[in-house]
């Protein structure tokens, strides 16, 4: 029998920006004991949050989504949870699926989802395999989430606050956009989610921005993907061994840049630097 511990919370893991790299994803899940050789959930009551950008730039985006949807069902049966937050590439994929080459109203020069999706590594092999079930599941994911004092989000920017003052408001508002036929609002959401590096900044600007986001949405540390560790910190992808704490400890970057040749980082929270 396991002795009662002060912290009765179940293990919490995050992973981000899988970008179609299904093999790397299953390898780290197996290594952590969250799945077995048949890719069945063995994580029991553990929680796994995927912080967006399942598709594009890699070979098997829809394969990654299907696996996560499968694991979500299995984890639910054992008291665990596997779930995902929206990334900008989810908006791009859903937008291309829904609007194709339709021009966004009010954009000069003209913009359309499909062209931007292709430009950002969109793969026809993913578009062809999208099902109504996948579209519905992706369209109803949250954008931000607080777990055990960690503020989980995809984009390293405060643009979420343009959608509301609390996590619930933001998630409801963004879900509303994705349920709407307002192409301009969809496009704006995509653009907002492509902001980045707001927690660096000159002087204490990054720290102040991070504090404002945490004050509004809750949690003690932002955990994000989107801006890869190689890009953010100018390090060689092959040298990355773990996530990066920065912004005076207020932010944790977990995207190892798998599509740039970096590692797929499965991060157990709370993360303490060696
Ligand atoms: Mn992204």
């Amino acid at each position: 029998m396991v002795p009662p511990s002060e912290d009765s919370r179940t293990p919490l893991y995050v992973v981000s920006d899988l970008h179609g790299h299904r093999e790397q994803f299953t390898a780290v899940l197996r290594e952590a004991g969250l799945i077995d050789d048949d890719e069945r959930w063995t994580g029991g009551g553990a929680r796994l949050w995927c912080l967006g950008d399942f598709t594009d730039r890699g070979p098997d985006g829809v394969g990654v989504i299907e696996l996560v949807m499968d694991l979500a069902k299995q984890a639910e049966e054992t008291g665990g949870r596997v779930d995902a937050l929206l990334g900008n590439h989810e908006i791009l994929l859903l937008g291309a699926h829904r609007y194709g080459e339709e021009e966004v109203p009010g954009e000069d020069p003209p913009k359309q989802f499909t062209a931007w999706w292709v430009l950002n590594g969109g793969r026809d092999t993913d578009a062809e395999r999208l099902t109504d079930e996948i579209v519905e599941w992706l369209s109803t994911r949250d954008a931000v989430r607080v777990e055990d004092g960690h503020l989980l989000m995809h984009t390293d920017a405060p643009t979420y606050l343009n959608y509301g003052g609390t996590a619930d408001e933001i998630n409801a508002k963004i879900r509303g956009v994705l349920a709407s036929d307002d192409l301009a609002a969809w496009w704006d959401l995509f653009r907002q989610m492509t902001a980045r590096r707001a927690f660096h900044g000159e002087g204490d600007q990054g720290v102040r921005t991070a504090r404002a986001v945490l004050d509004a949405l809750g949690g003690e540390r932002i955990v994000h993907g989107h801006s890869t560790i190689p890009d953010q910190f100018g390090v060689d992808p092959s040298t990355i061994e773990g996530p990066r704490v920065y912004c005076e400890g207020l932010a944790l970057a977990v995207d190892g840049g798998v599509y740039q040749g970096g590692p797929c980082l499965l991060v157990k929270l709370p993360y303490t630097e060696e």
Side-chain angles (χ1 to χ4, degrees), residues 4-254:
S5 97
E6 233 181 76
D7 187 351
S8 59
R9 294 178 294 201
T10 57
L12 172 62
Y13 295 85
V14 294
V15 69
S16 193
D17 297 79
L18 292 160
H19 284 299
H21 289 69
R22 193 182 186 284
E23 272 180 43
Q24 288 87 338
F25 182 37
T26 53
V28 293
L29 292 178
R30 261 196 301 272
E31 200 184 329
L34 294 179
I35 62 170
D36 63 16
D37 287 342
D38 298 322
E39 300 183 352
R40 303 286 303 169
W41 177 252
T42 49
R47 291 162 290 164
L48 168 65
W49 280 90
C50 306
L51 308 185
D53 283 8
F54 283 130
T55 60
D56 312 333
R57 300 183 171 148
D60 195 8
V62 166
V64 174
I65 297 170
E66 286 172 341
L67 175 64
V68 169
M69 289 173 72
D70 247 19
L71 294 176
K73 286 177 197 151
Q74 295 168 42
E76 205 180 334
E77 289 165 16
T78 58
R81 181 157 186 187
V82 175
D83 210 330
L85 299 179
L86 292 165
N88 53 305
H89 282 263
E90 276 68 48
I91 313 301
L92 202 48
L93 178 74
L94 292 168
H97 175 74
R98 185 170 184 134
Y99 297 104
E101 294 172 3
E102 194 177 326
E103 280 188 12
V104 180
E107 288 291 325
D108 183 29
K111 301 282 189 324
Q112 37 116 331
F113 266 111
T114 293
W116 278 66
W117 171 69
V118 170
L119 201 66
N120 285 278
R123 305 277 176 110
D124 286 336
T125 45
D126 282 334
E128 286 157 7
R129 289 163 64 204
L130 277 183
T131 62
D132 290 348
E133 193 191 356
I134 291 172
V135 169
E136 165 69 15
W137 186 78
L138 288 178
S139 307
T140 51
R141 293 309 93 194
D142 284 342
V144 293
R145 167 102 190 168
V146 179
E147 286 279 326
D148 300 355
H150 307 282
L151 175 57
L152 312 182
M153 50 200 243
H154 176 73
T155 300
D156 46 328
T159 45
Y160 293 101
L161 296 176
N162 297 332
Y163 290 89
T166 67
D168 285 347
E169 277 175 23
I170 292 165
N171 290 330
K173 181 87 178 174
I174 289 177
R175 204 168 300 213
V177 170
L178 297 181
S180 80
D181 288 318
D182 186 343
L183 172 50
W186 273 70
W187 185 257
D188 191 47
L189 174 60
F190 164 63
R191 298 303 296 164
Q192 304 257 2
M193 290 195 65
T194 58
R196 63 173 77 246
R197 294 180 63 101
F199 310 134
H200 289 272
E202 290 288 310
D204 68 347
Q205 182 62 46
V207 171
R208 282 192 284 124
T209 303
R211 283 233 166 81
V213 172
L214 288 163
D215 284 349
L217 306 186
E220 286 99 55
R221 178 182 277 174
I222 294 164
V223 177
H224 71 82
H226 186 55
S227 293
T228 70
I229 293 168
D231 286 349
Q232 279 196 82
F233 302 99
V235 292
D236 190 299
S238 67
T239 64
I240 293 166
E241 289 175 355
R244 282 285 183 118
V245 179
Y246 71 106
C247 193
E248 296 184 3
L250 297 180
L252 180 70
V254 302

